[in-house]
């Protein structure tokens, strides 16, 4: 007869195996999630989610208005995909971070509201993951703005299972329809109704799992930080004619207009990420006042002295990437410069000086 202790060990082993299967799975149903327990926002696995896939544990059916033809993620024509993984911090106020079509909403907000209202259990779980009360869901969703991600973006996603929301890290493909708040933060993924939060920090090593899409480059992934203040409108790129659209926060496109003071660059300019091979420019250091009584130091450093105006150093410990494994990447290391609530000096500048403070690198 098997002892109670041995039976308990067997049950724990089976439970662990079930959790691992849930991690690797991308079930279309509503009962499988990326992790078996809640509180996994800092999970070591990062799931790649193509724009049309609902992914694990969807909260609702899709409310995204499908694009005419899903475009691959944009990459510079002269630069092949990088062999390292890097997450670039970008401000939610950055012009061009989001895109869309003039006077067309990327998501059906009213339908999203009805779907959550029809399922009380999912509504409660959605509200809890969004830090609101269930009765606030209609007003909350109407306060958000439907747009499309212009770049591959890492977020903390939430699947639904067992009556609760389960957090996991995910990279959403460029072209994914999302609802964003007044500070430019993605809050809902329209393909599945899942609540979203800022990308979490993965301690130690992280692996990207799932289907890679055309143009996916692990060195060109954004993580959105809140804009410096709540805005009344967002500047997004018009995917139809490569112009700028000023979209009112909480509006579905009916009040879209051309901005009076558009950004001084084209919507398709490669400014969200550093250009390959181009050193990041930094502002010259401010001179420090010297003591008149102190002896003067020579101003000429001499021919052998290196210049200290060489730009910011690259971010330390980038994710290592090993080619040849199609579905599961090796265990690389993910490094985030800082949490969104504790701003720190950026590791790298994603654009040239003089174009505003919308980008945080």
């Amino acid at each position: 007869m098997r002892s109670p202790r041995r039976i308990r060990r067997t049950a724990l082993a089976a439970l662990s195996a079930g959790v691992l299967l849930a991690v690797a799975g991308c079930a279309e149903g509503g009962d499988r999630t990326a992790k078996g327990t809640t509180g996994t926002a800092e999970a070591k696995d990062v799931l790649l989610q193509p724009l049309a896939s609902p992914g694990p544990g969807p909260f609702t059916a899709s409310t995204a208005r499908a694009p005419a033809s899903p475009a691959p993620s944009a990459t510079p024509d002269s630069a092949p995909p990088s062999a390292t993984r890097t997450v670039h911090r970008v401000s939610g106020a950055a012009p061009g971070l989001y895109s869309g079509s003039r006077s067309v909403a990327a998501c059906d907000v009213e339908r999203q509201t009805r779907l959550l209202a029809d399922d009380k259990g999912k509504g409660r779980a959605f509200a809890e993951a969004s830090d609101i009360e269930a009765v606030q869901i209609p007003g909350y969703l109407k306060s958000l703005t439907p747009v499309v991600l212009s770049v591959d973006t890492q977020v903390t996603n939430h699947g639904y299972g067992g009556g609760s929301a389960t957090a996991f890290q995910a990279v959403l493909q460029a072209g994914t329809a999302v609802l964003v708040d007044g500070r430019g933060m993605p809050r809902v993924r329209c393909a599945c109704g899942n609540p979203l939060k800022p990308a979490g920090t993965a301690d130690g090593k992280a692996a990207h799992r799932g289907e890679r899409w055309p143009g996916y480059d692990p060195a060109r992934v954004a993580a959105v930080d809140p804009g410096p203040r709540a805005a009344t409108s967002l500047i997004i790129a018009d995917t139809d004619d490569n112009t700028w659209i000023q979209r009112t926060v909480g509006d579905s496109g009916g009040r879209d207009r051309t901005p009076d003071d558009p950004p001084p660059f084209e919507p398709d300019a490669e400014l969200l990420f550093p250009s390959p091979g181009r050193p990041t420019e930094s502002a010259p250091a401010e001179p420090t006042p010297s003591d008149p009584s102190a002896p003067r130091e020579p101003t000429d450093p001499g021919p052998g002295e290196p210049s200290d105006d060489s730009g910011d150093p690259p971010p330390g410990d980038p994710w290592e990437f090993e080619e040849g494994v199609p579905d599961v990447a090796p265990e690389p290391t993910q490094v985030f410069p800082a949490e969104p609530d504790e701003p720190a000096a950026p590791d790298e500048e994603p654009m040239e000086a003089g174009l505003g403070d919308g980008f945080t690198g």
Side-chain angles (χ1 to χ4, degrees), residues 1-344:
M1 180 177 177
R2 299 171 67 183
S3 67
R5 178 176 297 179
R6 186 172 181 180
I7 292 174
R8 188 161 54 249
R9 288 177 179 172
T10 303
L12 290 173
L15 178 61
S16 299
V19 171
L20 291 175
L21 287 174
V23 172
C26 293
E28 302 296 327
D31 292 329
R32 296 188 62 184
T33 60
K35 293 287 178 183
T37 58
T38 57
T40 55
E42 298 189 1
K44 297 182 184 300
D45 290 338
V46 181
L47 180 64
L48 299 178
Q49 294 196 269
L51 62 91
S53 171
F59 271 70
T60 68
S62 176
T63 60
R65 292 191 167 102
S69 56
S73 302
T75 54
D77 295 336
S78 59
S82 172
T84 60
R85 290 175 175 165
T86 308
V87 175
H88 302 267
R89 289 289 185 183
V90 180
S91 170
L97 175 61
Y98 300 111
S99 57
S101 296
R102 190 178 296 268
S103 303
V104 176
C107 312
D108 189 335
V109 177
E110 292 185 0
R111 182 166 184 255
Q112 185 68 64
T113 302
R114 291 195 303 270
L115 290 173
L116 288 173
D118 290 342
D119 192 316
K120 301 300 183 183
K122 289 183 176 180
R124 284 192 297 269
F126 178 93
E128 183 178 357
S130 302
D131 299 322
I132 60 174
E133 299 294 332
V135 295
Q136 297 176 308
I137 290 177
Y140 172 70
L141 292 177
K142 289 180 181 178
S143 73
L144 303 178
T145 310
V147 290
V148 171
L149 294 173
S150 294
V151 294
D152 298 341
T153 304
Q154 182 167 334
V155 296
T156 297
N157 203 341
H158 295 78
Y160 178 79
S164 62
T166 300
F168 62 98
Q169 293 301 299
V171 173
L172 306 182
Q173 183 185 4
T176 297
V178 293
L179 299 176
V180 302
D181 64 17
R183 299 186 71 181
M185 298 300 298
R187 294 302 182 187
V188 181
R189 182 172 182 244
C190 302
C192 52
N194 291 4
L196 305 176
K197 285 191 173 180
T201 302
D203 296 329
K205 297 180 178 180
H208 277 191
R209 304 180 185 277
E211 179 186 353
R212 290 175 173 83
W213 44 82
Y216 167 71
D217 187 341
R220 298 172 61 81
V221 175
V224 184
D225 286 336
R229 63 187 63 85
T232 57
S233 61
L234 301 173
I235 304 299
I236 67 174
D238 191 333
T239 55
D240 297 327
D241 57 10
N242 194 40
T243 58
W244 292 111
I245 299 172
Q246 183 169 334
R247 177 163 293 178
T248 302
V249 169
D251 184 66
S252 293
R255 291 184 283 173
D256 284 356
R257 62 186 183 88
T258 301
D260 296 330
D261 186 18
F265 48 87
E266 296 298 321
D268 59 357
E270 287 290 336
L271 296 175
L272 293 176
F273 304 115
S275 297
R278 185 186 71 186
T280 303
E281 295 186 11
S282 60
E286 292 290 336
T288 56
S290 58
D291 185 354
S293 61
R296 288 182 173 272
E297 293 293 332
T299 58
D300 183 7
E305 293 287 341
S307 170
D308 62 357
D309 188 18
S310 57
D312 295 334
D317 299 330
W319 288 349
E320 295 298 328
F321 181 81
E322 181 178 320
E323 297 291 344
V325 183
D327 294 324
V328 180
E331 301 298 319
T333 299
Q334 178 186 17
V335 177
F336 281 90
E339 291 295 330
D341 292 335
E342 297 178 7

